[in-house]
Amino acid sequence: MTRIFDALKKAEASREPAVQPAPLGAAPRPMPRPGGARPAAMPLLGVLELGEDVVRAMSALRVGLEAALPARTLRTVLFVSPQGGEGTSTVALQFAQLLARDTGARPLMIDCHSRRPAYSVQEGQRCAVLDRRLMPGSTEANSVVPANLFVVPVSEADRQAGLIHPGALRETIDANAAGFDWVLLDGPPALDSPDAAALGAVADGVVLVLQAGRTKRPVMTRAAELLVKSGSRVLGTVLNRRVHEIPDFIYRRI
């Protein structure tokens, strides 16, 4: 109560109009941060094609994450790679699409790539637009708005700062996560971005995305150690862009 009275006195002294309280039963308005209001969730424009192999891999990932994470209404997972260009955004979106399409869950994607966002908001549109680097060539897929899947793009303040503070990420989650089953954080490279490791501590767990034939074991180990030291819980890895040395039907029988 003392803080409220102090705020009112300051407002009266500066002759600024006091903030009107929200009507009874209305949702409370979050206080703005110095860096600006946190971005809001919006529908996604553009999808990735989910082949049979992708569906099988993402289904296995879902089962593994559900077993590793606490049985709670909302699960928060950070997808991150040791280095840039290993397919973190692709894997995270594929997993989100599988959840929304095949399980009926409501996943929320949050873009944490402040330096090179994976999603944008074009003027006049009310959708988050998937970066064309990740989009398939099909124009039909580029115009699809998947059901149950929403995205929170990077805010202009975070883009200008070039990093996302863990507290700001927590505020974004708290402001948007109501009604969702999963919050999937599309994180920046752990070894290239100063904020990546700290963001892992905000999530329930971290999934390391590794590119087959590119990521060296020492690099993977260093990234995992950095995440653990920052308070992250590394749940496992996803091997992206794997090349089958023998025919796929033989792999299925092994």
Side-chain angles (χ1 to χ4, degrees):
M1 295 298 293
T2 303
R3 294 181 179 178
I4 297 176
F5 292 141
D6 291 342
L8 290 175
K9 289 180 180 179
K10 291 181 180 179
E12 183 179 358
S14 59
R15 295 184 180 180
E16 294 181 356
V19 178
Q20 295 297 325
L24 187 63
R29 298 180 180 178
M31 294 297 292
R33 300 181 75 255
R38 304 312 304 163
M42 55 186 61
L44 171 63
L45 179 62
V47 296
L48 300 177
E49 296 179 0
L50 300 182
E52 184 179 347
D53 291 344
V54 173
V55 171
R56 187 165 54 250
M58 294 300 107
S59 297
L61 177 60
R62 177 184 63 82
V63 172
L65 290 178
E66 288 178 345
L69 294 174
R72 59 178 62 168
T73 305
L74 181 68
R75 298 181 173 99
T76 304
V77 180
L78 172 68
F79 288 81
V80 68
S81 61
Q83 309 163 106
E86 299 197 61
T88 303
S89 297
T90 299
V91 171
L93 181 54
Q94 287 173 337
F95 183 64
Q97 287 184 209
L98 175 94
L99 290 173
R101 190 192 72 176
D102 294 357
T103 71
R106 286 175 54 85
L108 174 65
M109 292 281 301
I110 298 182
D111 189 359
C112 299
H113 293 270
S114 59
R115 297 182 178 181
R116 197 177 185 185
Y119 305 89
S120 61
V121 182
Q122 296 182 2
E123 186 175 355
Q125 290 185 333
R126 296 183 178 181
C127 293
V129 181
L130 180 62
D131 193 303
R132 293 192 177 275
R133 294 172 296 158
L134 307 175
M135 280 186 178
S138 171
T139 56
E140 181 180 352
N142 294 352
S143 60
V144 172
V145 178
N148 298 337
L149 176 54
F150 286 75
V151 174
V152 178
V154 178
S155 70
E156 185 60 30
D158 293 335
R159 189 194 301 263
Q160 293 179 1
L163 56 84
I164 299 177
H165 191 275
L169 177 58
R170 172 52 62 190
E171 289 181 5
T172 299
I173 295 174
D174 292 342
N176 293 280
F180 291 96
D181 306 304
W182 293 77
V183 173
L184 308 177
L185 310 175
D186 182 5
L191 301 180
D192 300 339
S193 304
D195 54 342
L199 297 181
V202 177
D204 297 323
V206 177
V207 173
L208 268 174
V209 178
L210 313 173
Q211 180 177 336
R214 178 190 176 192
T215 308
K216 304 300 181 182
R217 183 178 294 275
V219 175
M220 178 195 69
T221 302
R222 190 162 67 251
E225 291 176 348
L226 180 61
L227 288 164
V228 171
K229 288 181 180 178
S230 298
S232 304
R233 181 188 176 196
V234 180
L235 301 175
T237 62
V238 170
L239 189 60
N240 189 33
R241 299 170 187 164
R242 180 179 57 180
V243 177
H244 289 170
E245 302 296 338
I246 59 178
D248 184 56
F249 73 91
I250 297 180
Y251 271 103
R252 298 180 186 178
R253 298 191 178 188
I254 297 179

